[in-house]
Amino acid sequence: MSDLLVRAIAGDGLIRVLAAEATGLVSEACRRHDTWPVASAALGRALVGAALLGAGLKGRETVTLRIHGDGPLGAILAEADGEGHVRGYVTHPHVDLPLKDGKLDVGAAVGRTGFLYVTRDLGLKEMYTGSAPLVSGEIAEDLTHYLWTSEQQPAAVALGVLVHPDGAIAAAGGYLMQLLPTAAEEERQRLEANLRELGAVSRAIAAGLGPHQMLERLLAGFAYHVLDEQALEFRCRCSRERAAGVLASLGSAELEAMLREEGQAELRCEFCGTVYRFGRDELAAVLEETRGARAESRPRGAASGPPAGSTDPGPD
């Protein structure tokens, strides 16, 4: 089953539902970061949450979900763009905690004290960032709380990742349902019954339900219309050129020291774990480009030192 996100409306536009299956992209992220089970569950939930928040974005517009709790996992970051590309990482992927009621204790791993941040980059001059305190560390509840308190959007959010005992990702996905306040009470009650009937979203996906089948369950009793669907994929925007740009940003002095002392450089992308290595010749080329860019940016007639025949008095 390919990773997919589907958007639908029902109830004369009063009900908006997004459903996603993301087992493949969560598996890829966890493989790249070598996450242990509880970290896999937390990172996977964040990745699915970002994908749901990113539904409706265009092109290179992005939404970034950051979770900073006081648990041992540290920070969790997930980003999605308008093309269905999702990436992310967790600061401490090798965290192991006892099970709680037979389940992975994501809340304790994330921490119940801290904040959830959502940053939307729509290609404008400024990015919008909202935040809300964590309420449980379970991520879905925290995202529900954020949407209500920070964006005034009442919603029901479910995020699930089913992890096999050997660490493999058996299923991952989620849904986001929004009901406008003007909806009738009987519609609200019907939706709540549907949510209970569906149960744990990870179990539903593991049983073979894709996004379209989840929509059928979530919107049982309603006539609904599918707006669109979007393929989801774990994909990072890092590249060797971007890595070279990071090196160049260090400046000539630091690059010279690196070339003299190490003779090479190594950069690792936090989002995908890809390592970029630059040998002596490549590092020297970056240094030369940096020097050239610095010389071009210097105003014409500017000298690199004090005029000939003068002395630099230095600071008083």
Side-chain angles (χ1 to χ4, degrees), residues 18-198:
L18 301 92
E21 198 276 341
T23 305
L25 76 86
V26 171
S27 297
E28 179 65 12
C30 293
R31 180 191 68 80
R32 286 175 173 270
H33 295 296
D34 188 32
T35 50
W36 291 3
V38 72
S40 297
L43 176 59
R45 292 181 189 182
L47 291 168
V48 176
L52 292 171
L53 291 177
L57 293 177
K58 299 177 181 179
R60 305 306 290 175
E61 295 176 350
T62 63
V63 60
T64 302
L65 176 63
R66 290 180 291 137
I67 302 164
H68 291 269
D70 61 350
L73 288 178
I76 304 171
L77 192 147
E79 179 189 89
D81 66 19
E83 298 177 345
H85 302 150
V86 187
R87 62 178 187 166
Y89 65 88
V90 56
T91 304
H92 302 297
H94 296 164
V95 169
D96 186 24
L97 294 179
L99 298 178
K100 180 180 179 181
D101 300 326
K103 299 180 180 179
L104 294 169
D105 196 351
V106 174
V110 172
R112 296 177 176 84
T113 299
F115 281 84
L116 179 150
Y117 302 89
V118 174
T119 300
R120 301 181 188 275
D121 183 355
L122 304 181
L124 305 175
K125 290 184 178 180
E126 295 183 1
M127 295 183 289
Y128 167 78
T129 298
S131 66
L134 298 178
V135 293
S136 69
E138 296 288 341
I139 302 180
E141 294 175 13
D142 301 304
L143 186 53
T144 299
H145 178 67
Y146 163 81
L147 289 171
W148 171 243
T149 59
S150 187
E151 299 190 4
Q152 291 73 54
Q153 296 183 34
V157 181
L159 306 170
V161 178
L162 185 61
V163 186
H164 279 310
D166 64 0
I169 306 301
Y175 61 78
L176 188 156
M177 176 183 290
Q178 293 176 313
L179 178 66
L180 295 184
T182 53
E185 180 60 27
E186 54 266 28
E187 292 178 319
R188 187 182 306 275
Q189 292 178 358
R190 179 61 187 173
L191 288 172
E192 291 176 351
N194 290 346
L195 297 183
R196 291 192 297 270
E197 182 68 22
L198 179 64

Side-chain angles (χ1 to χ4, degrees), residues 5-20:
L5 185 148
V6 181
R7 294 196 302 162
I9 56 172
D12 295 324
L14 298 179
I15 305 168
R16 175 180 179 241
V17 184
L18 301 92

